[in-house]
Amino acid sequence: IFRNDIVYITPGQTFFGIVKYSIFILCSSILKKELIIHVHGNYLGRQYSLLNGFKKKTFYFLVSKFTKGIVLSESLKNNLTPFIKKENIFVVYNFAEKYLYKDKLKKDYTKLKITYLSNLMEEKGILFLLETLKELEKRNVLYEAKIAGNIDDGLKEEILQKINILKNTRYIGVVHKKEKKKLLEWSTIFVLPTFYKMEGQPISILEALATQNVIITTNHAGIPDIIKSEINGYIVEPKSSKSILEPLLFLNENKHKITEIAELNRKYFMNNFTIKNFSEKIIKILNANTRTK
């Protein structure tokens, strides 16, 4: 901090997530350094509203010391507006790693190939997706699904039981790098019906865009800033297996739409969510002069 002019911090979104950086925030402020907070979610503002008394004052005091803020998308700026001037809050989209998008893919779009890639927890919508897959089998829809991610301990038995009764669905565990790439290159439809309270803008959605997948997700947190229904995929209602089912049935009858959307999504990704896009925006913000504002 003493040797640098700019201090960049990506804290947690809870009271303790902020307080643990107190010494860095205070030193930077006293020394009149450019102090930047980068919020990777949509809970910071909510946390502030839930606090009272000394905790609320402390939270405000610390976060208001930041001279610039970065959020994942336009609708998430309200997490920082109580603390930082609006003109000093910037938007920088997340990015997916280069190994996922270096090659254009030739995919098989002749049947529904569905993937779920996230923590398997109730608020991420996994139980509603599994109900949807059960309905697809009842209707004799030709599909294949692969579920990946860490299972919430409290739901492990229930989730595995629901997966095991499905003929065309497999749980493949936690995947990284090559396994993740292989999964997303295999799939053509990515489903994440999240209503998770700390959701910002899931990187898994960007990874699915990069690997030519149709996106089925919810109008939640910063997701609608980057995913438009019937353009990048379909926005569905949270906590509704019926809402997830409708676009899947439509895509099953109109498989040309899978091809169209998936190929458009790759171009969309390349124009907005690469490491190059991210780094250029971050550097521009680091160099932006906000002292006179």
Side-chain angles (χ1 to χ4, degrees), residues 4 55 73 97 122 134 144 148 158 173 175 209 222 271-272:
N4 294 281
K55 279 189 172 182
S73 64
E97 293 183 72
E122 187 174 359
K134 185 178 176 183
E144 194 175 345
E158 181 182 358
V175 294
L209 288 172
N271 288 331
N272 294 280

Side-chain angles (χ1 to χ4, degrees), residues 235-265:
I235 298 292
V236 298
E237 293 296 320
K239 306 180 187 180
S240 170
S241 56
K242 183 184 175 184
S243 189
I244 303 167
L245 180 65
E246 287 171 2
L248 289 174
L249 292 176
F250 172 79
L251 291 171
N252 185 55
E253 295 298 321
N254 300 274
K255 293 193 177 69
H256 67 281
K257 290 298 292 182
I258 303 176
T259 310
E260 287 173 19
I261 295 172
E263 291 183 355
L264 180 146
N265 279 351

Side-chain angles (χ1 to χ4, degrees), residues 1-2 22-33 35 61 65:
I1 287 174
F2 284 96
S22 296
I23 187 67
F24 303 107
I25 295 169
L26 293 173
C27 282
S28 300
S29 181
I30 291 165
L31 295 168
K32 299 193 184 309
K33 305 293 183 178
L35 184 58
F61 175 77
K65 294 297 180 186

Side-chain angles (χ1 to χ4, degrees), residues 190-211:
F190 175 85
V191 184
L192 184 65
T194 179
F195 50 98
Y196 180 46
K197 68 180 179 181
M198 295 186 79
E199 199 76 82
Q201 210 169 69
I203 290 176
S204 58
I205 288 179
L206 303 185
E207 293 172 333
L209 288 172
T211 46

